[in-house]
Amino acid sequence: MELIFSFLIYLIFSHIISDFVLQPDKWVKDKEEHKSRSKYLYLHAFVAATLAGIASALFFNLYTTAFVFVLTLLSHLIIDLIKTHFNNTLKSFIFDQLGHFAVIIIILSLLFPLNWHQEISFLKIWLSSSTVICLIVVLAGYIVLFRPASILISKLVESWRPEFEDSDGLKNAGKYIGYTERLLIYTLMLLHQYTAIGLLVTAKSILRFNERKTSEYILFGTLLSFSIAILVGIFISLFLSYFLPESAECVLRSLYNDSQ
């Protein structure tokens, strides 16, 4: 069970990296415009398959790694190609992610009935250790709060965005402000520094805008950003305390001491 759980975490981590860190906006727009003729459709699928293959190579032999690579490559091509034929909305984004996670579950169900008695090397044992898994889960939380959360907020407020497209604000400033505030709140949640979160919310509330529409738009986006960061922080904290209590306590205590 520990091996299954560890491999699942590595596959999810590789998916998050390939879909939200190593896929620039330029690739996404090109895929939407050129669909099956876009070179980035195939390049992104190759990147996703390579990372999944690397994750597999840490646990399995070359044959199994090749199987995971090919299955991830083909599934990514099919899912992303289907997505290009629909409008880039919140619904299409959610179904796209559900499709990729379904493939991960399929990979697990196909592999592990055949590998229960496989000998685990020292490296595999280390990679499966609760401390390493704890760190990966915490890091995955940080990654989710960057681009995935930004995409979700963007989809939720896109109906109001045309009214503010002509504003003279700094380019992409709102996006990076959101990144920063979510990173701070998530870190404070992990460190159980809830008073500091209240101070951060208070500091953001000092901002004032002359127009009511602008105030409401900024306030709604801010509350969404804060809420997502807090919910992710709560989920990760509960996950670690339930599944990896000793390692989580050790890692979080180390983070807390470093912050002093």
Side-chain angles (χ1 to χ4, degrees):
M1 179 60 74
E2 184 177 357
L3 180 58
I4 298 176
F5 178 74
S6 302
F7 185 50
L8 172 63
I9 294 297
Y10 276 89
L11 283 181
I12 292 175
F13 184 69
S14 68
H15 168 70
I16 292 174
I17 293 294
S18 64
D19 245 27
F20 301 108
V21 178
L22 299 180
Q23 182 178 210
D25 291 338
K26 174 184 176 181
W27 293 17
V28 177
K29 293 178 181 178
D30 191 83
K31 289 193 298 181
E32 292 174 356
E33 182 178 353
H34 298 102
K35 297 180 173 51
S36 61
R37 292 174 295 154
S38 172
K39 64 180 180 181
Y40 297 116
L41 173 68
Y42 305 96
L43 181 58
H44 170 61
F46 177 77
V47 170
T50 299
L51 291 182
I54 292 173
S56 178
L58 298 174
F59 295 87
F60 302 107
N61 56 33
L62 182 60
Y63 173 80
T64 304
T65 298
F67 170 76
V68 172
F69 176 87
V70 173
L71 183 57
T72 304
L73 178 69
L74 294 177
S75 64
H76 240 83
L77 280 174
I78 294 172
I79 293 172
D80 282 14
L81 182 59
I82 292 174
K83 184 187 176 185
T84 61
H85 290 83
F86 294 89
N87 293 328
N88 189 12
T89 62
L90 176 61
K91 183 183 293 186
S92 65
F93 170 72
I94 291 175
F95 277 105
D96 172 69
Q97 294 306 308
L98 288 176
H100 292 310
F101 280 104
V103 172
I104 291 176
I105 299 302
I106 291 173
I107 290 174
L108 288 175
S109 64
L110 291 175
L111 287 185
F112 279 95
L114 304 176
N115 291 280
W116 284 108
H117 304 293
Q118 184 176 2
E119 182 180 355
I120 302 175
S121 66
F122 173 79
L123 177 61
K124 294 173 186 175
I125 295 175
W126 182 81
L127 291 171
S128 301
S129 68
S130 55
T131 300
V132 175
I133 298 300
C134 176
L135 290 172
I136 290 177
V137 170
V138 171
L139 181 58
Y142 278 108
I143 294 174
V144 166
L145 288 174
F146 279 88
R147 195 149 175 249
S150 181
I151 292 174
L152 178 60
I153 294 171
S154 177
K155 299 302 181 185
L156 290 172
V157 302
E158 65 181 353
S159 60
W160 299 313
R161 191 178 302 115
E163 300 181 35
F164 302 94
E165 287 183 345
D166 297 329
S167 62
D168 55 354
L170 298 175
K171 183 179 179 181
N172 292 327
K175 178 173 71 174
Y176 294 114
I177 290 172
Y179 285 172
T180 304
E181 64 193 17
R182 290 193 294 274
L183 183 149
L184 289 173
I185 290 177
Y186 177 63
T187 302
L188 293 172
M189 287 288 296
L190 293 177
L191 299 176
H192 305 297
Q193 299 296 306
Y194 306 118
T195 303
I197 295 176
L199 293 175
L200 181 61
V201 174
T202 302
K204 189 68 180 287
S205 67
I206 295 175
L207 294 175
R208 293 291 184 270
F209 300 92
N210 295 326
E211 295 184 6
R212 179 177 176 179
K213 282 186 178 181
T214 303
S215 299
E216 292 176 345
Y217 181 77
I218 298 297
L219 178 61
F220 182 67
T222 297
L223 290 177
L224 277 177
S225 184
F226 283 3
S227 298
I228 291 172
I230 291 172
L231 289 174
V232 171
I234 292 174
F235 175 79
I236 295 296
S237 297
L238 290 176
F239 180 90
L240 293 176
S241 63
Y242 184 78
F243 289 101
L244 306 165
E246 295 181 0
S247 296
E249 183 180 354
C250 178
V251 172
L252 296 180
R253 187 188 298 117
S254 175
L255 289 173
Y256 180 76
N257 291 336
D258 291 342
S259 67
Q260 299 300 306

